[in-house]
Amino acid sequence: MPDPFAELLLRLRNDAGRTQEQQADAINAVSGRDTMTRREISRYEKFENVPTNHTLAHIAVACGVPYEELLREAKAARARRRRGNVCEEEDQDDVKRRTLLGSAAIGVSAAAEPWGRLACALRGR
């Protein structure tokens, strides 16, 4: 399921009737620089990257939307990325339980390893 912020950026571009290349050109025209590429637009729309606040200002002007709205949505998206893109439907108790079980399995294997080495040494390996 795509991120709501990525969907917002895609919707803004589609509402403007632009391709990714045209969106990059529009942002470059606003910024006065030639640094935005079609590939970067794609990364934003796939939620591989979140634009910087500076870039958000250019996107807002290019799409004719309030900067504050994009900034608020971007902050929420960054928070979701920091949480590790945990699925919204996933129960946090399940995440904690898996983490605990994974840690326990690592602990058991680490505790068993010296005994395995001892057994190999006693067998003459």
Side-chain angles (χ1 to χ4, degrees), residues 74-93:
K75 284 182 180 180
R78 289 181 188 118
R80 286 189 295 275
R81 285 180 68 91
R82 279 192 301 276
R83 286 193 310 261
N85 300 327
V86 175
C87 183
E88 291 175 14
E89 297 120 22
E90 188 170 35
D91 187 322
Q92 289 301 312
D93 289 336

Side-chain angles (χ1 to χ4, degrees), residues 49-64:
N49 288 349
V50 176
T52 64
N53 292 348
H54 185 73
T55 302
L56 284 173
H58 299 308
I59 293 171
V61 172
C63 294

Side-chain angles (χ1 to χ4, degrees), residues 11 24 30-31 45 48 76 87 95:
R11 185 171 41 83
V30 168
S31 71
E45 291 176 359
E48 293 172 6
C87 183
V95 173

Side-chain angles (χ1 to χ4, degrees), residues 13-24:
R13 180 176 62 82
N14 286 335
D15 289 350
R18 297 180 183 136
T19 64
Q20 289 179 342
E21 186 74 34
Q22 291 168 334
Q23 182 76 341

Side-chain angles (χ1 to χ4, degrees), residues 61-119:
V61 172
C63 294
V65 296
Y67 168 69
E68 293 76 22
E69 176 187 339
L70 282 183
L71 183 61
R72 182 181 64 247
E73 295 299 326
K75 284 182 180 180
R78 289 181 188 118
R80 286 189 295 275
R81 285 180 68 91
R82 279 192 301 276
R83 286 193 310 261
N85 300 327
V86 175
C87 183
E88 291 175 14
E89 297 120 22
E90 188 170 35
D91 187 322
Q92 289 301 312
D93 289 336
D94 290 339
V95 173
K96 291 175 185 174
R97 191 174 304 112
R98 278 198 312 274
T99 303
L100 178 65
L101 291 174
S103 298
I106 291 170
V108 167
S109 67
E113 183 189 356
W115 296 109
R117 283 195 229 160
L118 177 62

